[in-house]
Amino acid sequence: MRDAVVEVNGLTVKFDDFTAVDNISFTVNRGEIFGFLGANGAGKTTTIRVLCGLLQPTGGSVSVAGVDAVDGGRAIKPRVGYMSQKFTLYNDMTVEENLTFIASLRRLTKADYFKQRRDLFDFIAFDRPLKTLVRDLPGGTKQKVSLAAALLHNPDIVFLDEPTAGVSPEARSSFWALIRRLSGGGKTVFVTTHYMDEAEQCNRIALMREGRIIALDTPGGLKSSTFPMPVLEFEPKGAMSFARFAAIKRQELFLFFEPYGIRFHACVRNGEEWEKVRSTYEETFSIREITPTLEDVFIRREEVERV
Ligand code: ATP
């Protein structure tokens, strides 16, 4: 049996007349890495703020780690960790001062604080002096210390809002190794990201657009439901005019035909029809079948929603 740690039913959040989150429902299971994807302003942070008991929703029911998030904001806080997009640590304070401050907010005993800090420093492989100012930490290390801060009170579930924004690819990769270890140890990780390589590492992904969840599945499930036909990559053999691109795009033959760097990604509607004309296209394009990426999924889903 699956063990849901987050249950959201019909969640709606309005700011005056503006609906930031529009009647969304989903569950997240224990130990899952659950990704929240969407363009800026889609409503991801607002949803997380409700799940952390920081914002009262306008409607719907939300339960986190068995606690009702709507009435029991206070009861939720010990069960969740939150690494916010903008701010988790004070830059002008040392690592030690930051963690001591957070431990006091979380009302940890001294013994628990020291044990947790030691375990978490091992976990993130932190080997700098405790007196280091946070502003002097390299970006990747700062993010790891932020993660440690979010985990200091040993929550069941941790919400990471764009935890790797602006850090190097190497630091992103080592941060994600930590996320996988957390999940392997039974913690639930709820993460927002704009990086598709990170999204690939989630167990399931919810795609959000204008306050609604437009798709929710495993990375593989999203790819197969978005692209029922093989995805083809077209590489022009020579220069290609915009008029030619527009003409191809208008063809009924293609479900879509979209630029992807200097190439194009496309799906045909009907395999038999395609085989009849394929050789004509091969005069001007090198064509090969590719495995779609989550970026393809994201672009395609957004396009479908726009029309
Ligand atoms: P990003 O990737 O930029 O963080 P997001 O998907 O997290 O985007 P939210 O921060 O949840 O999006 O914002 C959703 C929408 O709600 C945005 O249009 C935002 O301007 C609006 N919004 C968020 N908080 C408030 C607020 N307190 N008052 C009014 N509008 C708000």
Side-chain angles (χ1 to χ4, degrees), residues 15 18 20 39-46 85 162 194:
F15 297 111
F18 176 72
N40 291 339
K44 305 177 297 290
T45 301
T46 304
Q85 200 177 88
E162 292 185 37
H194 288 289

Side-chain angles (χ1 to χ4, degrees), residues 16-76:
D16 299 321
D17 291 343
F18 176 72
T19 305
V21 177
D22 190 3
N23 191 20
I24 63 171
S25 302
F26 61 92
T27 57
V28 182
N29 299 312
R30 187 171 306 282
E32 193 169 21
I33 303 176
F34 188 84
F36 231 35
L37 260 69
N40 291 339
K44 305 177 297 290
T45 301
T46 304
T47 304
I48 287 179
R49 291 183 63 213
V50 173
L51 297 179
C52 290
L54 300 171
L55 182 69
Q56 282 290 313
T58 316
S61 67
V62 177
S63 139
V64 178
V67 180
D68 182 334
V70 179
D71 297 328
R74 245 172 209 283
I76 277 187

